[in-house]
Amino acid sequence: MAESKLVIEGGHPLRGELTVQGAKNSVLPLLSAAVLCDGDIVLERCPALSDVYAASRILTHLGCRCRLTQGRMEIRNTGITCTEIPETMMHEMRSSITFLGPLLSRSGSCTLYLPGGCELGPRPIDMHLHALRQMGAEIHESHGMLQVQGRLRGAELHLPFPSVGATENIILAAVLARGQTRIHNAAREPEIRDLADFLNACGARVSGAGTDTVFVQGVDRLQGCTYRVMPDRIAAATYLAAAAATGGSVCVQDCCPGDLTAVTEVFRQMGCRVYSHENRIYLQSSLPLHAAPYIRTMPHPGFPTDAQALLMAAHCKARGSCMFEETIFDSRYRHADDLIRMGADIRLSGRAAVVHGVQRLSGTTVHATDLRGGAALLIAGLSAEGITELTELSHLDRGYENPEHVLRSLGAKIERIT
Ligand code: EPU
């Protein structure tokens, strides 16, 4: 595919309303869950993202039929005909690992490979494998290949860390397993709740999702259903951060304000006015912003790691200094180099980063190194003087549906050039 770039003329405050896309991090495990369901599944508000296409290619390879048209993903599962996911497909994204639980549970044996995904430091899957072993899986690992077999049974599981992916994989493995599974120290992210709601709509019995203890009572079969994917809280945070950084005012419609309180609290500390009403968030910003003193990423309901880069970009021109502490991933400051090239004053030290606000950023050519880092550079470009060219858009396209279209509708001057 030809290399494309976004060309951004900075300095235009974002104003207006937007409707947020469906959540990438929810729809991906829902697509994995399709392996478990007989018949037809319809996912409404399904975003057209390269990761979604990668997941639907895996489903097609496994024997399902998938079609995405205008936000509606239709999947027909008349039987899984293949139990190996090729290495190239596994490498396309990290969340391909959530096919492991359902594929094993459905077929009794499968072959997968270690997943790919954003480079945020080492991303092991030891918790996924340990839990599946406790549920009766025999797993043979060699040279990145995972050969797995076993009839799964419910188990009492304790996660050493509330991993989102491991919690999802276990729930997906447990819904058709014999007996009861309890996950202690489960991830509490809203996407876990969405997965449980979807599975329950298909006939599963999952309770406690969204708390630190999830309980699954195995059932014999699941039937497809029609389900509306939750709104993407990180995409919402991205557009709010862009409005904050440009001194704009926007209303994000069709989102869940309750899922974003840790983020909206930071915008308030920065001097923005933020109101939420039912499923809308309004943000009004006037420049200069003030630095929030300290942002520490934590599992939900703490400040999300996925919003760290976004808020770092919004802090580049804020008065004062903000200290970031990234506690979830080892290497999630790769956007800082390009922010510094645009004029930001950022000092990195291990898991800490300190941003000292500067008067101005200047546009230049920058490269997305991962999904949220790319979004951070986009935000910086919108608030910089002059022209910013953002390249390596494949990272951005994994998680944002047509961002230039959304931003243009808010008054940004931005074009995609192929
Ligand atoms: N971890 C392990 N062993 C495991 C699993 C995780 O050590 O078996 C570690 C990871 O290396 C990491 C931490 O635990 O340091 C958290 O990982 P987690 O499993 O919670 O993350 P994930 O499931 O790989 C999802 C999202 C990420 C998001 C994180 C944290 C999806 C597809 N991805 O990843 O989203 O940052 O949860 O909230 O749901 C993004 O959207 O840009 C993104 C990276």
Side-chain angles (χ1 to χ4, degrees):
M1 207 168 64
E3 190 55 56
S4 41
K5 61 184 176 186
L6 286 174
V7 179
I8 307 149
E9 179 187 296
H12 303 281
L14 301 189
R15 296 193 199 288
E17 295 182 352
L18 67 118
T19 300
V20 81
Q21 67 184 57
K24 167 184 84 87
N25 288 348
S26 178
V27 76
L28 295 175
L30 299 191
L31 291 169
S32 304
V35 169
L36 298 166
C37 302
D38 297 326
D40 293 337
I41 297 161
V42 177
L43 298 176
E44 296 171 346
R45 188 161 50 193
C46 178
L49 305 171
S50 58
D51 273 9
V52 167
Y53 290 115
S56 65
R57 278 194 295 277
I58 293 179
L59 279 173
T60 308
H61 175 81
L62 297 176
C64 298
R65 271 196 281 160
C66 302
R67 191 171 63 167
L68 176 60
T69 29
Q70 293 177 350
R72 198 179 148 88
M73 173 69 89
E74 296 171 350
I75 305 159
R76 174 159 293 178
N77 182 350
T78 51
I80 295 301
T81 53
C82 169
T83 58
E84 172 169 0
I85 303 180
E87 196 166 7
T88 47
M89 289 188 173
M90 288 297 294
H91 274 176
E92 283 190 62
M93 55 173 183
R94 163 79 181 177
S95 81
S96 54
I97 195 61
T98 54
F99 279 96
L100 175 57
L103 195 52
L104 175 62
S105 151
R106 201 75 210 263
S107 12
S109 73
C110 60
T111 303
L112 276 74
Y113 297 82
L114 294 178
C118 280
E119 290 292 334
L120 311 174
R123 295 180 76 176
I125 53 163
D126 53 316
M127 292 184 224
H128 302 237
L129 301 186
H130 183 65
L132 291 174
R133 283 191 171 108
Q134 286 179 284
M135 296 176 74
E138 278 175 43
I139 304 175
H140 179 70
E141 270 185 271
S142 76
H143 307 292
M145 181 166 74
L146 301 167
Q147 287 171 300
V148 191
Q149 59 174 14
R151 238 189 111 203
L152 297 178
R153 53 176 188 273
E156 198 76 23
L157 304 169
H158 296 260
L159 293 181
F161 177 86
S163 153
V164 175
T167 303
E168 291 166 348
N169 228 341
I170 297 166
I171 294 174
L172 288 164
V175 281
L176 290 182
R178 265 175 304 143
Q180 302 173 343
T181 299
R182 202 183 305 271
I183 313 170
H184 299 274
N185 200 25
R188 291 184 280 166
E189 269 65 6
E191 291 75 17
I192 306 286
R193 194 187 57 210
D194 211 36
L195 175 62
D197 287 348
F198 167 77
L199 289 167
N200 288 340
C202 296
R205 290 176 61 193
V206 183
S207 56
T211 76
D212 62 2
T213 311
V214 177
F215 179 74
V216 184
Q217 171 71 57
V219 297
D220 289 337
R221 61 189 299 267
L222 297 182
Q223 184 67 47
C225 72
T226 296
Y227 188 79
R228 190 164 167 78
V229 179
M230 68 177 276
D232 195 313
R233 62 196 170 103
I234 306 301
T238 304
Y239 296 116
L240 290 171
T246 57
S249 65
V250 297
C251 170
V252 179
Q253 317 223 41
D254 232 351
C255 64
C256 295
D259 292 342
L260 270 165
T261 47
V263 177
T264 45
E265 182 48 36
V266 173
F267 288 126
R268 283 199 187 95
Q269 290 177 7
M270 296 176 78
C272 299
R273 293 180 182 204
V274 188
Y275 313 93
S276 40
H277 180 65
E278 293 172 355
N279 61 352
R280 294 187 200 101
I281 301 178
Y282 303 85
L283 179 143
Q284 233 184 330
S285 152
S286 59
L287 300 180
L289 296 170
H290 298 276
Y294 178 52
I295 296 177
R296 181 180 199 227
T297 66
M298 289 292 280
H300 195 78
F303 186 89
T305 172
D306 292 344
Q308 174 257 107
L310 315 174
L311 269 289
M312 186 175 285
H315 267 87
C316 290
K317 294 199 306 173
R319 281 211 179 131
S321 306
C322 177
M323 164 144 171
F324 289 80
E325 191 189 351
E326 172 59 59
T327 75
I328 309 293
F329 290 105
D330 282 343
S331 172
R332 211 171 188 182
Y333 290 133
R334 295 176 73 205
H335 45 280
D337 281 352
D338 270 348
L339 291 175
I340 293 168
R341 290 181 58 245
M342 294 176 77
D345 179 351
I346 304 172
R347 319 275 163 98
L348 299 178
S349 169
R351 289 188 161 208
V354 179
V355 182
H356 301 286
V358 294
Q359 294 269 330
R360 62 182 62 84
L361 296 178
S362 354
T364 182
T365 299
V366 291
H367 315 280
T369 54
D370 63 84
L371 167 58
R372 306 305 171 187
L377 296 172
L378 181 53
I379 292 166
L382 291 165
S383 70
E385 291 176 3
I387 304 288
T388 299
E389 295 197 354
L390 175 61
T391 67
E392 314 279 332
L393 297 184
S394 58
H395 294 290
L396 203 65
D397 293 336
R398 295 187 37 227
Y400 294 94
E401 186 175 32
N402 216 340
E404 65 275 20
H405 177 82
V406 176
L407 290 166
R408 258 199 310 272
S409 76
L410 299 172
K413 300 271 182 281
I414 178 168
E415 292 292 337
R416 183 180 291 243
I417 296 180
T418 301

